[in-house]
Amino acid sequence: MTTSGTQSTDIRTGDSIRSKIPDWPADFAAKYRELGLWEGLTFSARLDGWARDFGSSTAIVDGDKRITYAELAERATDLAHGLRELGVRAGDAVLLQLPNSAEFIIGWFALQRLGAVPVHTQPGHRQAEVGHLAGATGATVYITTDVFNRFDHRDLAKQIIDSTPSLRSVVIAGDLGDHAADDRFTEFSSLYRPGSGPIEDVANPGDIALLLLSGGTTGMPKLIGRTHDDYGYNSRAAGERSRLDADSVYLAVLPIAFNYTWNCPGILATFRVGGKVVLARTQDPSVVFELIEQEGVTMTAINPQLAPVWLDEREFTDNDLSSLRIIEIGSARLSDHEARRIIDEFDATLQQILGMSEGLFCATYLDDDPELLATAQGVPVSPYDEIRVVDSDGNEVPNGEVGELTVRGPYTLRGYFDAPEHNVKSFTDDGFYCTGDLVRRLDTGHLIVSGRIKDQINRGGEKIAATEVEGALLKHPLIRSVALIGEPDPTLGERTVAFVVVEPGAEEPPTRRDLANFLESEAGLALYKAPDIVNIIDEMPLTPLGKMDKNVLRQQLAPA
Ligand code: AMP
């Protein structure tokens, strides 16, 4: 894993980015290696292995495109040469904001070829989020699309590159449009350099392979650096729990950049065993059901918000869904009632999961009895995941009692990226990550999610940090004080309610639409963060310590 003589002056080692996440203590790292959990492989090396083992099998189906493992490995190399010409080097962070498409996968592996670090950016992210990610990572290149969901990403990219000193280039998977004359913009497809030869793997398995975004509770979300070793093990353990094999056909319905879709077990675990990945560009169930029939899909993953939509479509569809063996559901709490309907009405097995970009991944067993399948969110996928369910003093509670889920293990982070102060609050002294999720553990090891203590709203699986939105809304000229709260909602799981105290003398209080427009155009936040409901109140209730008393506000909401 050394740089070649000709390139050594050109290639940074990536040490600077690696130093921004804490290491696992040496004894833990040694144990994980000895046990073979950390396999000592980079993702570039893994891709080569897959190309060797499964070369002519189909790896990706994206619309009319079918790409084999051999082709994926080759295209990743060809693209890496073009990205290197753009100046991408080992250890560089590169923003990747693409819809479910072959380009996301090829781009991701091209960056792995160079030892560069893809920063997973959601298609819905706008100026505030992308700008924050670019600044926080010092990204040098931004790979995005032209237009997606009627939003022009090229204009967003122009704003971001104009305001981010580290960013040198924008790569557009699609048409450059009005930006064709801007020499900072390059077309994705123009970067392939076939026949340029292999690229030496300069990454180390302990390096950061990718950066994910945390759901966040304070201000802008924190970044999570996942290493080649830990992320590779996450794939393996998750894939084993779902019993993936070379006959598996995984359908990616949720956004590809979600950790859930990408690696739990998702796309990477399917590649690991030589299965086929099918990409859905839309979540429209009629399109998705058609794909299930056409491609013989065996497994897919959705969130609780899609569950009732699928149940409705199931009644009317003519599509043959008999190939489908597993419907994985997670990201937010699935109600026991909806879970039972899925179990009753689909022939496939329901697999509930509780996962987080920080690492820990729990899933039910495929042969769990139906009562557990309907009510529990799973068992950690690794026997080396150490779980403690604790009370507010940090003492473990007995099985069956509710407490905060805390965890450490071979693929759970030991600290957020470049966030030493925040890390003191989110981790115990002995390295357990405090998830902010409230759970009950059964004697079987299954966890049941019963709530959360973090100030976060889970709106249909999209996580919203209340303080981020409150901070943005406070800049609105008519708002004196604001609190954002999640209210139970039958479709979304939770919807957002903003309690607003308006400035004295304001003639008309702001409406929901005013606030959505303000958050999008003035604050540059993703649209899903706009409040669903606005409640105007005279006075903000305060705790004796003078903080907003959200419990009082919660009591004002209608009972669930
Ligand atoms: P993310 O990193 O965006 O995947 O968010 C992780 C968080 O999503 C967890 O800490 C939980 O708060 C929440 N979450 C994930 N799966 C579930 C589930 N099955 N039930 C309830 N909450 C969940």
Side-chain angles (χ1 to χ4, degrees):
M1 305 271 171
T2 53
T3 53
S4 75
T6 52
Q7 294 164 350
S8 55
T9 52
D10 207 15
I11 290 184
R12 291 211 325 256
T13 60
D15 283 351
S16 56
I17 198 162
R18 177 62 181 85
S19 67
K20 292 187 176 173
I21 58 167
D23 273 322
W24 276 263
D27 49 338
F28 282 83
K31 179 172 95 178
Y32 298 150
R33 278 191 208 99
E34 259 164 44
L35 288 165
L37 314 181
W38 290 359
E39 296 167 305
L41 290 171
T42 63
F43 277 99
S44 184
R46 287 180 194 277
L47 177 61
D48 288 335
W50 303 335
R52 245 187 342 261
D53 296 344
F54 322 121
S56 58
S57 309
T58 302
I60 305 169
V61 178
D62 175 16
D64 299 339
K65 284 183 236 160
R66 305 182 89 79
I67 300 173
T68 66
Y69 282 89
E71 286 163 346
L72 173 59
E74 192 175 296
R75 285 188 204 177
T77 306
D78 296 348
L79 184 71
H81 281 284
L83 288 169
R84 189 148 77 177
E85 282 172 28
L86 276 189
V88 177
R89 296 289 177 265
D92 280 359
V94 172
L95 303 181
L96 196 55
Q97 185 182 36
L98 291 171
N100 292 7
S101 57
E103 283 79 11
F104 184 102
I105 302 175
I106 298 168
W108 197 89
F109 280 105
L111 295 171
Q112 300 301 334
R113 290 287 197 226
L114 296 170
V117 179
V119 183
H120 284 220
T121 311
Q122 304 304 335
H125 284 159
R126 296 294 177 255
Q127 205 228 334
E129 293 90 2
V130 182
H132 165 70
L133 289 176
T137 60
T140 55
V141 173
Y142 176 13
I143 304 178
T144 186
T145 184
D146 46 13
V147 178
F148 182 65
N149 282 344
R150 286 176 293 162
F151 179 79
D152 196 323
H153 284 261
R154 296 164 298 198
D155 294 343
L156 172 62
K158 164 90 168 62
Q159 279 180 324
I160 300 290
I161 196 168
D162 283 347
S163 57
T164 312
S166 63
L167 259 191
R168 290 191 302 265
S169 303
V170 169
V171 176
I172 300 288
D175 183 16
L176 293 183
D178 294 344
H179 305 273
D182 185 337
D183 60 10
R184 299 170 303 172
F185 278 64
T186 307
E187 238 182 73
F188 189 100
S189 58
S190 73
L191 286 172
Y192 288 104
R193 300 282 178 275
S196 302
I199 292 186
E200 189 179 358
D201 189 1
V202 295
N204 186 294
D207 285 346
I208 298 179
L210 69 159
L211 281 162
L212 296 167
L213 204 58
S214 78
T217 51
T218 51
M220 271 287 171
K222 300 283 171 293
L223 282 150
I224 299 160
R226 303 290 303 266
T227 66
H228 296 265
D229 266 335
D230 95 68
Y231 213 55
Y233 176 56
N234 186 157
S235 247
R236 178 171 128 204
E240 285 171 358
R241 179 62 55 86
S242 298
R243 298 194 197 144
L244 293 185
D245 61 24
D247 294 326
S248 296
V249 180
Y250 177 83
L251 177 69
V253 179
L254 296 176
I256 194 166
F258 282 0
N259 176 49
Y260 180 25
T261 322
W262 190 240
N263 200 35
C264 293
I267 293 173
L268 293 185
T270 305
F271 287 163
R272 187 184 168 94
V273 291
K276 179 170 85 175
V277 167
V278 180
L279 301 173
R281 292 238 175 183
T282 152
Q283 296 179 355
D284 177 342
S286 61
V287 177
V288 169
F289 283 10
E290 185 82 39
L291 274 175
I292 293 176
E293 176 175 330
Q294 268 170 19
E295 298 295 337
V297 168
T298 61
M299 173 170 192
T300 192
I302 59 173
N303 56 28
Q305 199 187 339
L306 277 178
V309 183
W310 278 42
L311 282 161
D312 285 350
E313 182 75 15
R314 165 85 183 77
E315 269 186 51
F316 303 107
T317 186
D318 293 331
N319 290 122
D320 175 5
L321 305 181
S322 57
S323 61
L324 195 58
R325 292 202 288 267
I326 305 173
I327 303 176
E328 190 190 24
I329 304 189
S331 190
R333 181 71 155 87
L334 178 67
S335 71
D336 297 357
H337 163 73
E338 214 75 70
R340 290 198 173 94
R341 285 188 65 204
I342 295 270
I343 293 170
D344 291 345
E345 294 177 34
F346 278 90
D347 294 331
T349 302
L350 168 68
Q351 185 167 42
Q352 289 212 52
I353 66 109
L354 163 64
M356 50 205 71
S357 307
E358 283 83 355
L360 177 68
F361 183 65
C362 309
T364 48
Y365 292 96
L366 299 180
D367 50 11
D368 273 337
D369 74 62
E371 188 50 25
L372 268 179
L373 286 181
T375 53
Q377 282 66 58
V379 178
V381 290
S382 168
Y384 301 97
D385 286 319
E386 299 174 64
I387 300 289
R388 279 188 200 152
V389 180
V390 299
D391 63 20
S392 53
D393 295 325
N395 299 318
E396 267 191 269
V397 300
N399 282 350
E401 277 184 28
V402 173
E404 184 185 5
L405 171 63
T406 69
V407 56
R408 73 179 178 193
Y411 62 96
T412 296
L413 83 177
R414 287 293 184 136
Y416 288 99
F417 181 80
D418 204 14
E421 282 166 23
H422 185 77
N423 288 340
V424 176
K425 291 182 239 150
S426 299
F427 294 82
T428 62
D429 291 344
D430 51 356
F432 279 76
Y433 164 57
C434 306
T435 64
D437 292 316
L438 291 174
V439 299
R440 271 188 306 126
R441 182 165 46 180
L442 307 181
D443 291 337
T444 54
H446 287 74
L447 299 176
I448 295 179
V449 182
S450 59
R452 100 178 70 88
I453 48 175
K454 51 192 171 189
D455 196 5
Q456 193 186 69
I457 296 155
N458 190 335
R459 185 180 184 275
E462 301 272 21
K463 314 300 178 322
I464 300 171
T467 55
E468 181 192 6
V469 180
E470 288 160 0
L473 285 175
L474 274 179
K475 297 191 181 125
H476 190 289
L478 295 181
I479 295 183
R480 160 158 287 203
S481 171
V482 56
L484 202 72
I485 290 198
E487 177 177 36
D489 177 87
T491 314
L492 291 167
E494 278 180 293
R495 59 184 168 177
T496 45
V497 182
F499 285 88
V500 172
V501 180
V502 292
E503 286 290 356
E507 282 180 8
E508 288 286 329
T511 62
R512 194 189 80 83
R513 180 180 281 264
D514 294 336
L515 296 191
N517 286 342
F518 179 81
L519 286 178
E520 199 188 11
S521 52
E522 301 292 323
L525 285 181
L527 204 53
Y528 66 82
K529 295 179 182 171
D532 295 303
I533 292 173
V534 177
N535 278 351
I536 304 294
I537 51 175
D538 293 335
E539 209 176 314
M540 189 60 73
L542 298 177
T543 65
L545 293 175
K547 290 173 96 183
M548 286 192 299
D549 196 338
K550 292 196 171 179
N551 285 332
V552 171
L553 294 173
R554 274 189 199 101
Q555 284 159 16
Q556 295 181 18
L557 297 171

